[in-house]
Amino acid sequence: MASEDVVGKSTGESAVTTIVNLAEEAKLAREGVKAPSHAIVSICKSLVAGGVAGGVSRTAVAPLERLKILLQVQNPHSIQYNGTIQGLKHIWKSEGFRGLFRGNGTNCARIVPNSAVKFFSYEQASSGILWFYRRQSGNEDAQLTPLLRLGAGACAGIIAMSATYPMDMVRGRITVQNEKSPYQYRGMFHALGTVYREEGFRALYKGWLPSVIGVIPYVGLNFAVYESLKDWLIKSNPYGLVEDSELSVVTRLACGAAAGTVGQTVAYPLDVIRRRMQMVGWNNAASVVAGEGRSKASLEYTGMIDAFRKTVHHEGFGALYKGLVPNSVKVVPSIAIAFVTYEVVKDILGVEMRLSD
């Protein structure tokens, strides 16, 4: 969705991206939509810090991320993964330590281009929205409101997600394959080339529509829950969490984690459908998708609605939330690791910049 690839993305794009985005958006709003020329270095440092933080946090929770995707797409007639603990044990026994991190390299490779496109898309969207808002209101000194920043963030998220979506599509396939798969993608570029050659360009965007639609509930709820929790804590001040009308960093992180969890839970069925649509048309698909023996059957959906209908009809409503537990478990450690890493890397880059001046 509008963050970490919006839904899973990430939809993982995630509560981590939400907090970083809120901080950067607030900074831009205070300084004005157009950043001064000298801010380019600061932007690059933020992108590097964000890329390192995202890579470290994603790697730390990669086993849970892979298990989530396996649970989402596995053939219902040939169950191999049945729960979080059993699923992780099965991966360890059947594929070893490296199996826990399959697909993580491609996932991390998406961070920098996605963040760069999102950052500059946000700046352009903010400029356009602010120009239109000033014309409509007749106030040339008007500034972006939180709601307008939300709209700009959603636009930036959709653009960034669309620009890097093929990488996410093949990441899903690489993640579910194993050594016993009949055909092996050797890496991200090999997978991109193979999908394009065998299935056509449109195949690289399978599942794109539910990702875009998921922006609305994900971003909207993220923003609403975060702001509501923050306002409630400031007004009621339970357990003395508020100091000088401000929340501590830890409290804001907790609010962000709660907001991200709510947003992901509501939009989660769209993530399941997205992943399942990405597997359609995969020749020699991994056994976890195609099944084994007499249970082997091809996965075919004609579109998003058909995918929803068949999933609920054959597996029940609960199938739309397969993998939700490992997805929720990884939120807190992911956000904590990303935040700490982001601050440490920015401090290191700041020191290096001062020494080089």
Side-chain angles (χ1 to χ4, degrees):
M1 304 202 160
S3 59
E4 212 220 317
D5 299 33
V6 187
V7 177
K9 294 6 174 17
S10 102
T11 236
E13 82 128 2
S14 71
V16 178
T17 310
T18 300
I19 288 181
V20 172
N21 282 349
L22 285 170
E24 296 297 336
E25 289 164 17
K27 181 180 177 183
L28 280 174
R30 289 194 303 269
E31 296 178 351
V33 177
K34 289 287 185 181
S37 57
H38 68 270
I40 294 177
V41 174
S42 178
I43 291 171
C44 292
K45 287 166 61 178
S46 294
L47 288 175
V48 171
V52 174
V56 172
S57 64
R58 292 185 191 198
T59 300
V61 299
L64 291 169
E65 176 66 17
R66 187 185 181 213
L67 177 62
K68 179 199 77 171
I69 296 176
L70 288 168
L71 289 169
Q72 288 177 332
V73 304
Q74 74 174 336
N75 191 301
H77 304 295
S78 182
I79 300 296
Q80 299 179 39
Y81 307 93
N82 188 18
T84 304
I85 303 300
Q86 182 275 337
L88 292 173
K89 286 182 177 179
H90 182 76
I91 295 173
W92 177 272
K93 290 180 180 178
S94 60
E95 301 178 56
F97 179 77
R98 291 183 61 184
L100 295 169
F101 296 89
R102 190 178 300 276
N104 184 58
T106 305
N107 193 23
C108 292
R110 296 167 43 241
I111 297 172
V112 173
N114 184 278
S115 298
V117 173
K118 189 184 299 179
F119 187 92
F120 293 108
S121 297
Y122 177 80
E123 184 178 359
Q124 295 303 313
S126 297
S127 298
I129 291 173
L130 183 58
W131 174 83
F132 182 77
Y133 179 58
R134 285 174 173 175
R135 284 198 62 181
Q136 290 296 106
S137 64
N139 180 7
E140 290 300 317
D141 296 324
Q143 297 298 320
L144 289 175
T145 64
L147 188 59
L148 292 178
R149 289 202 302 273
L150 176 65
C155 291
I158 291 174
I159 293 171
M161 180 270 294
S162 300
T164 59
Y165 191 83
M167 299 172 70
D168 179 69
M169 188 273 182
V170 298
R171 194 263 292 198
R173 292 191 178 186
I174 292 172
T175 297
V176 302
Q177 72 179 7
N178 54 41
E179 286 79 1
K180 296 180 180 179
S181 298
Y183 182 80
Q184 293 287 324
Y185 292 127
R186 296 193 296 271
M188 181 180 69
F189 293 108
H190 178 250
L192 287 168
T194 303
V195 172
Y196 175 76
R197 185 173 59 254
E198 295 183 354
E199 303 173 48
F201 177 77
R202 291 183 62 185
L204 295 172
Y205 281 87
K206 287 178 178 177
W208 176 83
L209 182 59
S211 295
V212 173
I213 294 175
V215 168
I216 299 172
Y218 181 82
V219 177
L221 279 170
N222 241 337
F223 184 81
V225 173
Y226 181 83
E227 290 297 323
S228 297
L229 276 175
K230 188 176 71 172
D231 291 344
W232 176 76
L233 288 171
I234 290 175
K235 291 178 181 178
S236 60
N237 192 20
Y239 309 110
L241 295 174
V242 181
E243 295 181 5
D244 299 325
S245 300
E246 289 291 335
L247 297 177
S248 66
V249 172
V250 174
T251 305
R252 290 200 302 273
L253 286 174
C255 291
T261 301
V262 172
Q264 286 184 19
T265 302
V266 173
Y268 194 79
L270 288 161
D271 189 44
V272 172
I273 295 303
R274 172 176 72 109
R275 288 295 176 200
R276 293 192 170 201
M277 291 177 69
Q278 290 176 348
M279 305 298 150
V280 174
W282 184 4
N283 296 325
N284 300 311
S287 60
V288 67
V289 176
E292 296 177 330
R294 287 189 292 179
S295 65
K296 194 169 184 177
S298 59
L299 187 68
E300 291 296 336
Y301 303 123
T302 58
M304 184 182 69
I305 302 300
D306 185 56
F308 267 110
R309 184 179 61 80
K310 288 181 178 177
T311 298
V312 174
H313 177 73
H314 294 296
E315 303 173 56
F317 183 78
L320 297 175
Y321 285 92
K322 286 184 174 180
L324 180 62
V325 173
N327 186 65
S328 300
V329 169
K330 69 185 178 69
V331 169
V332 173
S334 177
I335 197 171
I337 294 169
F339 179 80
V340 172
T341 307
Y342 183 80
E343 291 301 319
V344 169
V345 174
K346 284 196 73 175
D347 287 344
I348 293 173
L349 290 174
V351 171
E352 290 180 349
M353 288 301 295
R354 286 193 295 273
L355 290 176
S356 65
D357 288 343

